[in-house]
Amino acid sequence: MSLKKKLIVLNTTIMLGLGSAFAIPSVKAESITDIQSQRTGIQSDISEAEQVIQQLKKEQSKMNAQIAQIESAMKENDQKIKDTEQEIKDTEKDIESLKKEIKALEERIAKREEVLKERALSFQESGGDVEYLEVVLGSKSFGEFVNRVGAVATIVEADQQILSEQEADKADLEKKQATVEKKLQSLKDMEVELKGMQSQIEDQKAETVNMKAKIEKKESETEALKQSLENKDAGLEAQIASIRENIKKEEERKASEKADLDRAAEEVNSSNASSEESSSSSSEGSSSSSKGEASAKSSSKAESSSNSSKNSSAAKPAASKTETSSKPSSANTGSAITAGYKYIGNSTYKFGGGRTASDIANGLFDCSAFVAWAYKQAGVNLTPSTDALKNAGRQVSDSQKQPGDLVFFNTYKTDGHVGIYVGGGKFIGSQSSTGVAIANMESGYWADVYNGRVVRVN
């Protein structure tokens, strides 16, 4: 084979080698881009999962606070029940004592009646009768007249005192009976209400605990999803690292092969330079030109491959952006109807609650205290008692009620519950089962116990 043919074969081999050297890394670089695109999507999903987890943690924290609040209210209500039961026992003892006193009073009254009978009989036996004038004018002498006048006056005076004592004892007896019976009834009503509320608060706690369990389950599932996505992302990252390592090794190998081919070409040229000088010069020029073109093409391909590799390795997942949502504006504290909105879902019913700064700060209200507090935010002072609120303004008919009016319900007693009408057949109030909430008074329980009393605060 002539030297010219050898050089052509050698140059062809070099070109094929160079083409092979840069074609494979280019394909691998495209694979890196595809994998990196997958990682971007996965990392976006991871970011969303993290946001969901953070939101669930906030909800869980809120549930924990609400459960603690409910447990505190239950503890205080339970103590109130015990205190009320003790008061009932004490009042029942008072009633037993009163019964003994009543019996003694009845005995004294009976004795007085006997005294009166005896006095009347004695008067008649001394020659008198019921008529005062007949007794006095019937005397036979002045001395008898004086005696009879004195006797009658004494009897009348004594009778008057007995009758006065009799009336006083009867009035005292009636007063004591009324006071004790009223107190006992009030305590029994309170006990019924407290036990009913305790039952509803326990249901509220059970519902809250159930919601917390669901949130914890969802959080656990989201954590598992996040971990799965992170594992997948780590696997893709390892693939990219492996491909880049293979590209590097492939480039090093091809560079080594090219160097070997260049050295072989130089050796062939050198060994045949002396024997075919003129022909070699001509061939060398041609070969040199061809080699220059090959070198230029190789350089161009190498640069293209290098740029592709750099662009591929430079691709990174876009950073996730978390939008900051604006918080809802605070409730309008200047309006009684909206003042309590901030406590919806964030309060607990507490019998006797809402009358201290601590209770108000922690959203612990009973129905009348909540209404009084809400109106205070609007600059109106009301007494936190359902009986007092009934007379806090003028009564209007049910058909004329409007937002802001007080509405009453017969729960454990007449007008036992009160709320603020908000319109649309609904009212806001502190309910034992929910704490501060908006309830429907046109259907269900509240419709059944609504008594039609509507008070418009002046």
Side-chain angles (χ1 to χ4, degrees):
M1 181 183 292
S2 66
L3 179 61
K4 186 175 181 179
K5 288 182 179 179
K6 287 180 180 181
L7 289 174
I8 292 171
V9 171
L10 183 61
N11 287 331
T12 302
T13 303
I14 292 171
M15 292 301 295
L16 290 173
L18 289 173
S20 174
F22 291 99
I24 294 175
S26 176
V27 172
K28 290 180 177 178
E30 290 175 0
S31 298
I32 290 175
T33 302
D34 291 340
I35 294 172
Q36 191 63 63
S37 178
Q38 292 180 48
R39 285 194 68 196
T40 300
I42 290 172
Q43 288 171 354
S44 177
D45 292 340
I46 291 173
S47 178
E48 290 180 5
E50 287 175 345
Q51 291 178 18
V52 171
I53 290 170
Q54 291 303 315
Q55 182 61 34
L56 290 172
K57 286 185 181 296
K58 288 181 181 179
E59 292 181 15
Q60 187 176 348
S61 177
K62 183 178 178 181
M63 288 293 157
N64 286 335
Q66 191 169 354
I67 289 171
Q69 191 178 59
I70 290 171
E71 287 176 342
S72 175
M74 287 178 65
K75 184 178 179 181
E76 292 190 31
N77 277 3
D78 191 50
Q79 185 60 49
K80 190 71 176 176
I81 289 172
K82 290 178 181 178
D83 292 343
T84 302
E85 288 174 342
Q86 185 60 48
E87 283 190 65
I88 289 173
K89 289 179 181 179
D90 293 341
T91 304
E92 287 174 341
K93 288 181 181 178
D94 290 343
I95 290 175
E96 288 300 316
S97 176
L98 181 60
K99 285 179 179 178
K100 293 179 181 178
E101 190 174 343
I102 290 170
K103 187 176 181 181
L105 282 171
E106 289 174 343
E107 289 175 354
R108 287 204 298 270
I109 290 170
K111 286 179 180 179
R112 289 192 189 103
E113 288 177 351
E114 288 298 323
V115 170
L116 289 172
K117 288 178 182 179
E118 288 176 3
R119 286 182 183 278
L121 181 61
S122 175
F123 177 70
Q124 288 176 353
E125 288 176 350
S126 64
D129 57 25
V130 179
E131 295 295 334
Y132 177 80
L133 284 176
E134 289 182 6
V135 171
V136 175
L137 296 176
S139 58
K140 296 178 181 180
S141 66
F142 181 75
E144 186 179 356
F145 173 80
V146 171
N147 290 335
R148 287 197 176 195
V149 169
V152 170
T154 301
I155 293 171
V156 169
E157 184 179 349
D159 290 348
Q160 292 266 348
Q161 185 177 354
I162 291 172
L163 291 171
S164 178
E165 289 175 358
Q166 194 88 327
E167 292 300 322
D169 281 348
K170 286 182 178 179
D172 186 43
L173 179 61
E174 290 174 357
K175 184 178 179 181
K176 286 183 178 180
Q177 281 181 317
T179 300
V180 176
E181 287 174 0
K182 183 178 180 182
K183 181 180 179 182
L184 181 61
Q185 187 59 50
S186 176
L187 288 170
K188 287 182 176 180
D189 288 343
M190 186 187 296
E191 183 184 28
V192 170
E193 182 181 21
L194 284 168
K195 288 182 176 179
M197 286 188 302
Q198 193 76 336
S199 176
Q200 290 178 329
I201 291 173
E202 286 172 357
D203 291 342
Q204 184 183 2
K205 180 185 176 183
E207 183 179 352
T208 305
V209 169
N210 185 43
M211 288 176 63
K212 181 188 172 186
K214 289 180 179 179
I215 290 172
E216 288 175 344
K217 182 181 179 182
K218 189 174 181 181
E219 181 184 355
S220 177
E221 292 172 349
T222 307
E223 287 279 10
L225 173 62
K226 178 189 171 187
Q227 186 61 53
S228 174
L229 291 169
E230 287 175 343
N231 292 341
K232 187 174 182 181
D233 182 58
L236 293 174
E237 185 179 21
Q239 285 185 38
I240 291 174
S242 176
I243 291 172
R244 284 177 176 166
E245 183 64 26
N246 290 337
I247 289 174
K248 183 179 178 181
K249 290 180 180 179
E250 190 71 16
E251 287 175 344
E252 289 174 352
R253 186 179 68 79
K254 294 302 179 182
S256 176
E257 289 179 358
K258 180 178 179 299
D260 291 342
L261 291 172
D262 287 342
R263 285 194 297 272
E266 289 176 2
E267 289 175 0
V268 171
N269 289 337
S270 177
S271 63
N272 291 285
S274 57
S275 59
E276 298 180 4
E277 185 175 355
S278 59
S279 175
S280 174
S281 297
S282 175
S283 299
E284 185 177 350
S286 175
S287 174
S288 178
S289 176
S290 176
K291 184 176 179 181
E293 292 175 1
S295 177
K297 291 179 180 180
S298 298
S299 177
S300 176
K301 288 183 178 181
E303 183 178 355
S304 175
S305 176
S306 176
N307 289 338
S308 175
S309 177
K310 287 179 180 179
N311 290 337
S312 173
S313 63
K316 294 181 179 180
S320 62
K321 296 182 179 179
T322 305
E323 295 183 358
T324 303
S325 60
S326 60
K327 295 181 179 179
S329 60
S330 61
N332 176 15
T333 56
S335 173
I337 197 170
T338 58
Y341 282 5
K342 69 176 181 178
Y343 286 115
I344 293 177
N346 187 34
S347 66
T348 304
Y349 186 97
K350 175 186 173 184
F351 189 85
R355 291 161 177 81
T356 65
S358 176
D359 280 352
I360 292 171
N362 290 290
L364 302 174
F365 293 96
D366 64 13
C367 62
S368 57
F370 171 74
V371 169
W373 173 85
Y375 263 94
K376 187 174 182 180
Q377 310 315 300
V380 179
N381 291 323
L382 299 176
T383 302
S385 160
T386 52
D387 289 337
L389 291 173
K390 287 193 298 185
N391 303 308
R394 61 188 178 89
Q395 190 166 339
V396 298
S397 66
D398 176 63
S399 61
Q400 292 178 320
K401 67 179 179 293
Q402 60 188 29
D405 289 343
L406 306 187
V407 287
F408 292 79
F409 305 83
N410 294 342
T411 51
Y412 72 101
K413 67 175 184 178
T414 301
D415 299 317
H417 187 73
V418 62
I420 303 173
Y421 187 62
V422 299
K426 296 179 180 179
F427 74 98
I428 184 171
S430 182
Q431 278 69 261
S432 59
S433 59
T434 60
V436 176
I438 293 177
N440 190 344
M441 55 189 287
E442 292 186 345
S443 64
Y445 173 77
W446 295 111
D448 293 338
V449 297
Y450 174 53
N451 62 19
R453 184 189 293 275
V454 180
V455 173
R456 185 159 299 159
V457 178
N458 294 330

